Amino acid sequence: MRRLALATSLLLVSAACSDAGPAATSAPTATATTATTTTAIPATTAAEPTTTGPDSTGPPEPAGAQSLGDPYFPDLGNGGYDVIHYDIEITVDPESAALDAVTTITAVADETLATFNLDFVGLEVSSLMVDGSDAEYVRQGPELRISPDGGIVAGEEFTVTVAYSGRPQLINLISAGVQFGWLQTPEGIYVVAEPDGARTWFPSNDHPTDKATFTFRITVPKPLTAAANGALVETIDNGDSQTFVWDLDSRMATFLATLVIGEYERFESEGPEGILIRDYLPTSFNGKMPAAFEVTAEAMVFLAEWFGPFPFDRYGHIVVYELGGALENQTLSLMGSRALFDEIVVHELAHQWWGDSVTPASWQDIWLSEGFATFAEFLWTEHLRGEDAMNDQIEGLHGALQSIGHFAISDPRESQLFGPAVYWRGGMVLHALRAQVGDEVLKEIFHTYFEIYADGNVTTREFIDLAEEISGQDLTELFDAWLFAVALPDLPDG
Ligand code: TRP
Ligand code: ZN
């Protein structure tokens, strides 16, 4: 059996599950049956935030919204302010998987605030300060509701410092039927947070529309290494432990914040345009670089021709045991040790443009991430093995989709957020667009789209409008059929 090794299939292979290799044909089974019943499943099972405002007498006080209105995750994100920077200082006990942390958030108020919320789940809070003074707060489900003395004036920059500890609780990734978040393995600890796990390990405005820069100061006992997003700027020797300071100066959505602890060896190489490539391998790999990682630089050049310049100044992978899949954490993709295939390297690399730099404005628009990353795999197949091989790959996936229930991928519901249709049909949207507008126009669409939306957020509507504008064509029929209709369209001839 030929391995298609799409990341989506891997998602369904949980840490504890069988060691079945990634194979497109075996992937849809788990979710296939649920796909047919998607429409019967409510959009979200997440609890609505409790709406207890300040219950004093007197006039209502200005409060930041408790939701950013994400249709699938209404309790993610908060209004009234914009986070500029997260400073996460964290000491981890790898044996108990408990942490002791102080996160300082620097934010700017969009409006005058007597009260505002942060997203935070589990963990015990020992102190909370706003601008260096103890502030009043209450916990309401997955929210911290904070009412600093004197409030915050519109336009003002302020800091929130939260000290907390404990062992983070796991999140349910419904579409994969497994639990994720802050995971402990015999080798160490790693975080896979997409879509709603960031709030389990640091207080945040946990929605992809509020991007910020990050500093991580991670203390772990020797001989462990701690890795996170961005640049390793300092390693501090504290005797029995070390503190690894990581700094990310490109803005990032919270779900992409990563932290990996284990015994690692770092490898550096030079990518195109002076981009630093650094990979982290478990020391148990004995320095044996996975062959799949060797394609990184070539794939960067190849994808940059299609998409535009690589968005960040560095990139690489960190390998973890047990995880069956991979995750596109900004500048440092996390790769399960059973996911070391070049298609997946290309998939996660493509996400750096689509998902990380150009980020869907709501979780409902997830095909703008997964469909684009899957389309990059199609392009890579064509690049390596020719057009026929690519068409075979796409036909194989189309056949697999035909035998499972269909739904409109413009509204996958939480239950199918990372289901096979979002990936495969999502890739086919762009394949069909390519057949209609041709390679040159498609490249122009991608490049312009990247130029406009890099370091920001985008909706499906905005992508469609741009594709129509650049191509000068009415693409209503194409997008209606592939994105908004339930029935799976036929593939374009070719
Ligand atoms: N975005 C990941 C990928 O394509 C899939 C994913 C979502 C994931 N949530 C996850 C993987 C949690 C591991 C854990 O490639
Ligand atoms: Zn993906």
Side-chain angles (χ1 to χ4, degrees):
M1 180 174 52
R2 190 158 59 83
R3 289 189 149 183
L4 293 173
L6 285 157
T8 181
S9 47
L10 294 154
L11 256 184
L12 307 173
V13 185
S14 75
C17 283
S18 78
D19 199 11
T25 46
S26 70
T29 45
T31 46
T33 39
T34 54
T36 48
T37 58
T38 300
T39 46
I41 295 169
T44 175
T45 49
E48 292 286 336
T50 352
T51 43
T52 37
D55 58 352
S56 58
T57 45
E61 302 203 297
Q66 301 191 24
S67 170
L68 286 175
D70 191 283
Y72 296 173
F73 297 94
D75 54 351
L76 289 184
N78 310 283
Y81 63 91
D82 217 331
V83 177
I84 308 299
H85 188 75
Y86 290 95
D87 186 301
I88 302 172
E89 193 183 324
I90 186 167
T91 300
V92 182
D93 173 10
E95 244 140 62
S96 64
L99 60 80
D100 214 319
V102 179
T103 289
T104 300
I105 298 171
T106 305
V108 172
D110 300 328
E111 50 193 85
T112 292
L113 296 169
T115 300
F116 63 93
N117 279 27
L118 290 172
D119 300 311
F120 196 48
V121 165
L123 303 176
E124 189 156 330
V125 174
S126 57
S127 91
L128 192 151
M129 296 189 291
V130 173
D131 288 332
S133 305
D134 283 330
E136 216 179 281
Y137 68 94
V138 288
R139 297 192 75 159
Q140 298 178 335
E143 308 275 329
L144 273 175
R145 190 159 176 75
I146 304 161
S147 308
D149 249 2
I152 292 159
V153 177
E156 204 176 85
E157 187 175 297
F158 63 101
T159 61
V160 187
T161 305
V162 186
Y164 55 98
S165 60
R167 182 177 175 159
Q169 71 183 49
L170 297 174
I171 59 163
N172 286 313
L173 193 63
I174 298 175
S175 47
V178 276
Q179 288 197 311
F180 282 118
W182 175 275
L183 298 174
Q184 185 181 31
T185 71
E187 287 77 24
I189 286 166
Y190 64 90
V191 176
V192 278
E194 188 183 17
D196 61 340
R199 59 185 173 160
T200 67
W201 70 285
F202 61 98
S204 54
N205 196 25
D206 195 8
H207 193 266
T209 49
D210 193 355
K211 298 187 180 189
T213 53
F214 281 75
T215 304
F216 304 86
R217 306 168 203 276
I218 312 154
T219 302
V220 289
K222 287 177 179 173
L224 300 178
T225 293
N229 315 77
L232 176 63
V233 291
E234 206 183 345
T235 306
I236 302 162
D237 191 333
N238 316 308
D240 290 344
S241 68
Q242 293 182 95
T243 302
F244 296 85
V245 183
W246 288 78
D247 198 62
L248 179 75
D249 60 9
S250 53
R251 299 186 328 138
M252 175 170 77
T254 47
F255 77 93
L256 295 166
T258 193
L259 178 144
V260 183
I261 294 166
E263 286 192 52
Y264 280 98
E265 211 180 330
R266 175 180 167 119
F267 299 86
E268 291 187 3
S269 62
E270 207 188 305
E273 315 283 337
I275 294 164
L276 170 68
I277 298 180
R278 74 276 184 272
D279 292 309
Y280 278 79
L281 301 181
T283 49
S284 54
F285 274 49
N286 292 316
K288 200 175 171 305
M289 185 63 63
F293 290 0
E294 311 277 359
V295 307
T296 310
E298 183 192 340
M300 261 183 183
V301 173
F302 175 69
L303 293 182
E305 277 166 28
W306 275 94
F307 299 155
F310 184 75
F312 309 116
D313 64 353
R314 63 197 64 224
Y315 185 64
H317 309 88
I318 185 160
V319 176
V320 298
Y321 280 104
E322 296 199 15
L323 179 68
L327 188 61
E328 65 267 25
N329 294 326
Q330 192 158 314
T331 74
L332 188 64
S333 288
L334 190 137
M335 307 287 289
S337 54
R338 288 176 285 143
L340 303 177
F341 301 96
D342 64 349
E343 291 92 336
I344 298 172
V345 166
V346 169
H347 181 108
E348 306 312 327
L349 179 62
H351 271 310
Q352 303 296 310
W353 282 267
W354 317 123
D356 294 11
S357 180
V358 177
T359 308
S362 98
W363 286 107
Q364 187 179 335
D365 291 312
I366 188 68
W367 83 274
L368 293 169
S369 284
E370 299 305 346
F372 278 59
T374 303
F375 182 67
E377 294 183 56
F378 299 165
L379 293 173
W380 183 251
T381 300
E382 182 183 47
H383 174 67
L384 285 192
R385 303 205 301 272
E387 195 184 339
D388 288 350
M390 176 186 69
N391 286 331
D392 282 355
Q393 177 184 24
I394 297 171
E395 274 159 33
L397 297 175
H398 193 265
L401 282 179
Q402 247 155 359
S403 60
I404 64 177
H406 306 148
F407 59 91
I409 60 167
S410 57
D411 190 9
R413 313 298 175 102
E414 191 187 350
S415 62
Q416 288 295 319
L417 209 49
F418 300 100
V422 166
Y423 284 69
W424 302 344
R425 187 165 165 173
M428 289 169 204
V429 174
L430 300 173
H431 179 67
L433 180 62
R434 182 183 186 185
Q436 176 137 350
V437 304
D439 285 11
E440 287 324 300
V441 172
L442 183 60
K443 280 184 188 171
E444 200 187 327
I445 291 170
F446 284 149
H447 280 248
T448 313
Y449 177 60
F450 182 68
E451 242 172 71
I452 297 175
Y453 295 104
D455 188 38
N457 298 89
V458 68
T459 63
T460 296
R461 196 14 69 196
E462 286 168 324
F463 175 70
I464 293 172
D465 288 349
L466 190 82
E468 291 193 324
E469 191 187 317
I470 304 279
S471 66
Q473 294 190 36
D474 179 355
L475 300 168
T476 314
E477 215 174 294
L478 183 148
F479 287 117
D480 275 357
W482 282 98
L483 286 174
F484 298 102
V486 170
L488 180 69
D490 291 335
L491 287 169
D493 301 327

